Amino acid sequence: MFKRLRNLLFGSLRRQLIIGVALTITAVMALFMWGAIERQRALLLERQSEYAVALAQSVATSSAGWLQARDFYGLQEIIYAQRRYPELVYAMILDLRGRIVAHSDPARLNQFVLDLPKIDAGGISYTPYIVSRGKDLVDALSPVVLSNHQIGWVRVGLGQQTLNARLAGITRDGLVFAAAAILIGSVLVGIMGWRLTRRLYVIRQASDAIQAGDSRRRARLDGVDEAAGLARAFDDMLDTLAARDQALRLATERLQVATRAGIIGIWDWDVVKRELIWDDVMCRLYGIRHDQFAGTYDAWLSRLHAEDRSRVDQNIQEALRGEREYGLEFRVVWPDGSIRYLKAASQTIRDQSGQPLRMVGINYDLTERKQAEAELEQHRHHLEQLVRERTEQLERARDTAESANRAKSVFLSNMSHELRTPLNAILGFAQLMERDQRLPADVHHNLETINRAGRHLLALINDVLDISRIEAGRTTVQNAEFDLNDTLTGIEEMIRLRAEHKGLSFSVEHSGQLPRYVYGDANHLRQVLINLLGNAVKYTEQGRISLRLTPGADSIRFEVSDSGPGIATNDLERIFQPFYQTESGVAKGEGTGLGLTISREYVRLMGGELHVQSELQHGSVFSFSLPLPEADVPLVESRQRRVLGLEPGHPAVRILVAEDNPDNQELIASLLASTGFEVRLAGNGRRAIEIFQDWQPHFIWMDMRMPVLDGYQATQAIRALPGGNEVKIVALTASAFHEDRAAILAVGCDDMLAKPIDETRLYLLMGDLLGLRYRYADQAVSASAPSKPGNASPADLTTLPEPLRAELQAAAELLDTDAVRTIVDGMLADYPQLARLIGEWMSDYRFEKIIELCRRPEEDQR
Ligand code: ADP
């Protein structure tokens, strides 16, 4: 009831306003009227009092004579005359004792009025006054004075009817006025309130609409007043809320989609109330319906795998204590007994004192991942097993391949040796016969064919040997300081000769200053350049060939160009393949198709790349850049000190040379004998053992490959004999490839030396192992020259200047009798003995000997 009344009165702002304004106007009007009436009443009372006093005084004045004369009748007349005043209540004249001598009400005559003021003897009062002023009556008293003596009193009572009537009128007017004011005020306030609340009402309506679900609704009030401002603020607030609401809804949606899609269950545990709330996904993850879950911690724990419970519980307790956040993997058991792997993660929410309030977290399924991991592990295991097996197979295959490769190397080395020797003879004699003018022309023609074919075969053998070395990975770079100038000069001379022979112009151009001494592999560089320039000469029929060198920073670019037939684009890469020859290459009938393969590998080994640019009919350019840093110290052959013999008074040194090759026997024997060693020779292993037993040599040069008993067996046998451990044995290896150094040392050799024999190394090895003291050429003035006429040592070939030696080697390799003869002729002045020696060998067509002895020792050790 009270509520309804309150709603009725204050339910709307407008009503409140109207009631408020009406009450205010009423209160103001009441106060105003009360004041006005009171003021009017006081004024009227005052006037009534003055009138009463004046009336009393006037009656006193008019009645004085009558009273003196005691004419009571006359006095009564005067009093009666006063009744004309409508408000007169009473009028009376009293004598000094207070007796009423005349009265408007004759019944009161002769009564006494006792409340008169006392008059002192002789005292007199002249001033009339009001005795009392009441609500209904004003009582005025005036003395009756005659000749300065008071003789009596006049008392007048005036009523208040007029006054009250006027006051009532005023009050009535006031009330009417107030009511009008309240009415007008209320109407005005009502209108104002309506205007005001109408705008607020719009906001209210918008608010109601939004509450009802119309989130797009806005108040949208125009104007600049507070209501419009409020509406704008309201709309802005709604916009902000809508945006936030939208973002929140999206985020919630995303979260829901993500958790559902990712099958992520969300749980919320109220630690204080001990309530555990799950979402739908959680129930799915545990394989139960919502109504099957009791919503407590224990109910959850009971669904975990028994083995995982205590671990999980411990983790949760630690999380509650704040030692860590809860998060681990565990297993749950579904009602059907199947086991699933879950992962949990959570955050603990705490109050200000750090006490845990809630724990909110997620669960997701790991079962498939676990299964995949297990499968992966199985596959990995299987794969490892496969890899192991495959590796073993590959290792076996590699071992087989390596041993096959070794066998191939040995075979090639043997074959090349075996092929070259008879080929030397065939070619030599064929060339000799070619000079025989007595033979008929057709025989000459046949001989030419034999020569050409033989040279081709020889080049093929050399190239095959090189390529096998490369393939076997036995070709390494032997870097050393060398005289670039010398090397280039040698090559230039050789090529110039051939070029001029064909009528081609040949030029060597340098751009910039070339370093004289550089650090690199002179031998490989020479071989590559000779091959490229050789090809240029070979394939160019007319025009020019050139070698251009461009120095760079620690490198040099080489460019071999010619004006030959050029190479077709589709052949450009193929020409580097082994045995590939272009049509013009095949047509030439020379070459092996291996030169470029070898060259490219050598350039790569030296740190460069061989490129070709060519176009049919427009010549070819082969180019490569090599790192060739300038060297401070040139390699000088004086590094090797020439041994003249043992020091005077040196005890005798017995050397056994076990070697089946007579040339080598002879070479070593003559070297050793010339320097004062005692030497004996053995042609096979068995003979070596016999001589060892008889003669007890200090040192044995043991060829590893000999008939009857080879070097390995002989060494082992000697080591087993008395004194066999004291003797020094050094293996001589003839193969183009290294024999297995480890195997050689294992049978008891102290060291090894590769053939062809390098004199300096020969002396060094013996000196080191036996502790010998030598006499050297640069210290012994009286020593005889090493190459006196008729006594030239084969090893002296290594003392020839590098370019000359290279030229000789190249000519010998090509079995080019004419070229060798030209070189030998040129040598006659400076190296007469060597020239004669080579001449002799050439007469016997022992080119191989020339080649072997021209090779620098390190070259053969590769
Ligand atoms: P070959 O022993 O045949 O010269 P190479 O490997 O040196 O073997 O060269 C392979 C082929 O490349 C040659 O047969 C030849 O056809 C071609 N070739 C090489 N150099 C040149 C050149 N300067 N001009 C034209 N063709 C060339």
Side-chain angles (χ1 to χ4, degrees):
M1 171 74 188
F2 172 73
K3 211 168 170 182
R4 277 173 65 187
L5 186 68
R6 198 184 63 183
N7 280 350
L8 193 70
L9 294 176
F10 303 109
S12 104
L13 202 58
R14 204 184 313 168
R15 255 176 262 156
Q16 284 181 38
L17 211 67
I18 293 171
I19 290 170
V21 169
L23 285 174
T24 308
I25 294 175
T26 310
V28 169
M29 294 304 286
L31 269 175
F32 173 74
M33 276 175 59
W34 180 76
I37 289 167
E38 279 307 305
R39 258 198 322 278
Q40 202 66 24
R41 179 195 297 279
L43 199 70
L44 291 173
L45 208 61
E46 195 58 37
R47 281 216 199 122
Q48 192 80 334
S49 302
E50 282 170 11
Y51 181 62
V53 168
L55 188 64
Q57 200 167 19
S58 122
V59 171
T61 309
S62 56
S63 63
W66 297 92
L67 190 56
Q68 186 66 29
R70 307 216 45 102
D71 182 353
F72 299 114
Y73 188 76
L75 288 173
Q76 196 63 33
E77 281 298 317
I78 289 170
I79 288 301
Y80 278 151
Q82 303 310 318
R83 286 204 292 210
R84 66 181 187 273
Y85 296 108
E87 289 178 347
L88 189 80
V89 177
Y90 56 81
M92 65 183 88
I93 299 169
L94 310 163
D95 63 10
L96 282 176
R97 284 187 296 150
R99 189 174 61 101
I100 298 170
V101 292
H103 198 283
S104 51
D105 178 9
R108 301 272 316 255
L109 284 176
N110 293 323
Q111 288 178 356
F112 284 85
V113 176
L114 300 177
D115 58 347
L116 293 172
K118 292 269 185 279
I119 299 167
D120 296 337
I124 189 163
S125 168
Y126 298 107
T127 315
Y129 62 92
I130 296 294
V131 179
S132 71
R133 196 150 52 182
K135 192 165 155 266
D136 301 319
L137 190 75
V138 176
D139 188 5
L141 190 68
S142 176
V144 181
V145 179
L146 192 70
S147 308
N148 290 336
H149 287 283
Q150 183 182 2
I151 53 173
W153 301 90
V154 173
R155 197 164 183 171
V156 174
L158 285 181
Q160 303 274 44
Q161 297 94 322
T162 317
L163 185 140
N164 285 341
R166 283 184 70 179
L167 280 179
I170 290 171
T171 306
R172 197 173 50 247
D173 292 351
L175 280 176
V176 169
F177 176 72
I182 287 167
L183 193 70
I184 294 166
S186 297
V187 169
L188 285 177
V189 165
I191 293 167
M192 271 166 53
W194 176 77
R195 276 181 61 81
L196 189 68
T197 52
R198 185 192 50 164
R199 290 163 79 74
L200 289 179
Y201 189 63
V202 173
I203 298 174
R204 166 76 188 274
Q205 269 181 328
S207 152
D208 286 349
I210 286 160
Q211 254 184 358
D214 180 7
S215 59
R216 301 243 178 93
R217 180 71 174 268
R218 294 291 179 269
R220 290 195 217 297
L221 279 184
D222 297 331
V224 290
D225 59 9
E226 289 85 345
L230 181 67
R232 269 195 299 278
F234 179 70
D235 287 352
D236 288 350
M237 185 186 75
L238 285 176
D239 288 343
T240 313
L241 283 177
R244 283 193 197 155
D245 185 47
Q246 175 77 356
L248 194 70
R249 209 171 45 246
L250 280 176
T252 313
E253 265 171 30
R254 269 199 299 273
L255 184 70
Q256 277 175 351
V257 171
T259 53
R260 238 175 255 137
I263 319 184
I264 295 173
I266 298 178
W267 52 267
D268 186 347
W269 181 34
D270 190 322
V271 181
V272 182
K273 288 193 199 153
R274 297 167 177 277
E275 272 174 18
L276 180 56
I277 297 166
W278 278 7
D279 70 354
D280 294 343
V281 183
M282 278 298 285
C283 294
R284 270 172 64 194
L285 288 174
Y286 284 77
I288 53 172
R289 291 191 314 275
H290 239 304
D291 56 2
Q292 288 175 297
F293 178 57
T296 63
Y297 179 79
D298 289 337
W300 165 66
L301 212 58
S302 68
R303 301 205 168 263
L304 267 52
H305 193 286
E307 288 173 12
D308 292 350
R309 264 178 226 152
S310 68
R311 178 171 59 92
V312 174
D313 184 44
Q314 194 182 342
N315 191 275
I316 296 241
Q317 299 310 324
E318 283 167 0
L320 287 176
R321 290 198 294 273
E323 291 166 16
R324 62 159 92 170
E325 280 301 354
Y326 160 64
L328 36 76
E329 292 177 16
F330 51 82
R331 287 166 292 173
V332 296
V333 184
W334 276 24
D336 64 5
S338 62
I339 288 176
R340 312 286 298 177
Y341 286 85
L342 295 192
K343 164 107 188 167
S346 80
Q347 284 235 307
T348 311
I349 299 163
R350 297 171 187 283
D351 63 11
Q352 283 183 337
S353 66
Q355 285 303 308
L357 295 176
R358 281 166 65 202
M359 217 188 238
V360 183
I362 54 161
N363 274 191
Y364 53 90
D365 200 320
L366 291 180
T367 314
E368 279 175 21
R369 205 188 81 192
K370 286 271 176 201
Q371 281 165 354
E373 276 175 5
E375 268 176 44
L376 211 66
E377 178 61 26
Q378 215 175 331
H379 286 311
R380 194 180 61 83
H381 191 71
H382 183 58
L383 209 67
E384 274 179 4
Q385 180 70 21
L386 278 181
V387 168
R388 249 197 311 277
E389 283 169 18
R390 195 83 189 104
T391 310
E392 278 168 17
Q393 282 171 2
L394 284 173
E395 274 171 0
R396 275 199 298 279
R398 188 199 57 199
D399 291 347
T400 316
E402 275 181 357
S403 68
N405 204 27
R406 262 198 303 278
K408 186 186 89 177
S409 304
V410 173
F411 170 76
L412 281 171
S413 119
N414 289 341
M415 281 306 286
S416 65
H417 188 269
E418 298 302 323
L419 287 171
R420 261 198 217 163
T421 317
L423 198 59
N424 284 345
I426 294 167
L427 279 171
F429 284 107
Q431 282 176 13
L432 191 71
M433 286 169 75
E434 248 193 312
R435 285 168 206 284
D436 194 338
Q437 298 302 321
R438 293 168 301 173
L439 295 172
D442 56 336
V443 176
H444 267 284
H445 178 73
N446 292 344
L447 282 172
E448 246 174 59
T449 313
I450 294 174
N451 259 321
R452 204 175 41 249
R455 270 203 294 276
H456 186 205
L457 189 58
L458 194 67
L460 187 66
I461 291 168
N462 287 337
D463 282 352
V464 166
L465 207 70
D466 278 343
I467 209 91
S468 333
R469 276 196 194 126
I470 290 168
E471 280 179 358
R474 309 245 174 156
T475 308
T476 52
V477 175
Q478 299 291 318
N479 283 333
E481 300 86 1
F482 69 94
D483 189 332
L484 180 66
N485 194 43
D486 265 9
T487 308
L488 292 174
T489 313
I491 296 168
E492 189 181 341
E493 279 172 7
M494 185 195 301
I495 298 299
R496 190 174 299 286
L497 215 73
R498 294 196 219 166
E500 282 170 2
H501 191 68
K502 270 187 97 172
L504 301 167
S505 81
F506 172 50
S507 62
V508 178
E509 300 153 20
H510 305 178
S511 64
Q513 182 71 39
L514 280 178
R516 167 129 194 215
Y517 300 109
V518 292
Y519 183 78
D521 189 326
N523 238 21
H524 281 159
L525 176 62
R526 187 184 311 108
Q527 203 166 333
V528 171
L529 286 175
I530 287 177
N531 184 271
L532 296 177
L533 286 164
N535 277 352
V537 174
K538 189 160 59 175
Y539 296 109
T540 309
E541 293 310 327
Q542 59 181 28
R544 44 140 210 103
I545 59 170
S546 71
L547 166 65
R548 187 171 298 115
L549 294 105
T550 317
D554 281 347
S555 70
I556 298 175
R557 179 179 158 78
F558 298 84
E559 216 174 270
V560 175
S561 54
D562 63 59
S563 59
I567 302 161
T569 318
N570 55 348
D571 274 336
L572 283 178
E573 189 48 40
R574 281 187 279 186
I575 53 169
F576 293 105
Q577 292 168 5
F579 300 108
Y580 185 81
Q581 289 183 298
T582 63
E583 270 176 33
S584 53
V586 176
K588 268 272 155 212
E590 298 174 30
T592 58
L594 285 171
L596 287 180
T597 317
I598 295 169
S599 297
R600 177 151 82 171
E601 290 307 319
Y602 280 175
V603 170
R604 277 186 184 158
L605 275 170
M606 290 186 284
E609 190 61 49
L610 180 58
H611 300 284
V612 59
Q613 268 183 318
S614 185
E615 216 179 299
L616 276 179
Q617 313 306 333
H618 286 94
S620 316
V621 181
F622 287 85
S623 61
F624 58 95
S625 283
L626 290 182
L628 286 172
E630 187 168 2
D632 289 337
V633 192
L635 174 80
V636 284
E637 290 178 7
S638 63
R639 192 179 54 158
Q640 303 168 351
R641 300 176 76 193
R642 173 169 296 282
V643 173
L644 291 181
L646 292 165
E647 272 189 356
H650 199 292
V653 183
R654 292 184 298 280
I655 312 275
L656 167 61
V657 180
E659 163 70 87
D660 63 327
N661 183 310
D663 288 343
N664 279 337
Q665 266 191 5
E666 188 192 326
L667 174 67
I668 302 172
S670 61
L671 273 175
L672 295 179
S674 71
T675 36
F677 291 96
E678 291 178 25
V679 184
R680 282 208 190 170
L681 304 173
N684 61 53
R686 182 162 307 148
R687 183 74 193 119
I689 298 169
E690 286 164 13
I691 296 177
F692 171 75
Q693 284 171 314
D694 288 353
W695 192 49
Q696 293 294 320
H698 298 103
F699 191 101
I700 303 174
W701 285 110
M702 181 73 78
D703 185 9
M704 298 315 275
R705 271 191 262 174
M706 286 184 292
V708 187
L709 204 68
D710 69 14
Y712 296 92
Q713 293 164 314
T715 306
Q716 277 177 320
I718 290 169
R719 287 293 185 217
L721 290 171
N725 277 333
E726 278 83 67
V727 65
K728 302 293 176 198
I729 305 177
V730 173
L732 287 171
T733 59
S735 162
F737 294 95
H738 263 318
E739 306 222 9
D740 191 346
R741 187 182 171 87
I744 286 172
L745 297 180
V747 295
C749 291
D750 295 289
D751 208 332
M752 59 188 280
L753 180 66
K755 288 190 246 176
I757 307 301
D758 173 50
E759 177 189 342
T760 314
R761 284 178 53 78
L762 178 113
Y763 287 121
L764 264 175
L765 268 169
M766 290 193 302
D768 287 349
L769 286 168
L770 296 173
L772 303 177
R773 297 184 305 281
Y774 290 126
R775 220 157 28 93
Y776 294 98
D778 53 1
Q779 55 178 198
V781 182
S782 60
S784 54
S787 54
K788 51 181 197 283
N791 198 18
S793 154
D796 285 342
L797 281 195
T798 57
T799 63
L800 283 178
E802 176 66 23
L804 188 63
R805 204 173 54 144
E807 208 180 326
L808 184 62
Q809 186 180 342
E813 276 174 354
L814 293 170
L815 300 178
D816 190 336
T817 332
D818 293 339
V820 175
R821 204 170 293 286
T822 317
I823 295 166
V824 168
D825 289 350
M827 282 169 61
L828 267 170
D830 297 333
Y831 309 94
Q833 304 87 351
L834 276 176
R836 212 160 299 136
L837 187 69
I838 297 167
E840 279 170 27
W841 286 339
M842 209 186 62
S843 305
D844 295 342
Y845 298 100
R846 297 178 67 185
F847 286 102
E848 200 203 16
K849 194 162 185 80
I850 302 174
I851 298 165
E852 277 184 8
L853 294 176
C854 276
R855 264 202 208 140
R856 291 200 323 199
E858 64 270 29
E859 190 181 328
D860 203 64
Q861 284 173 20
R862 265 169 261 158

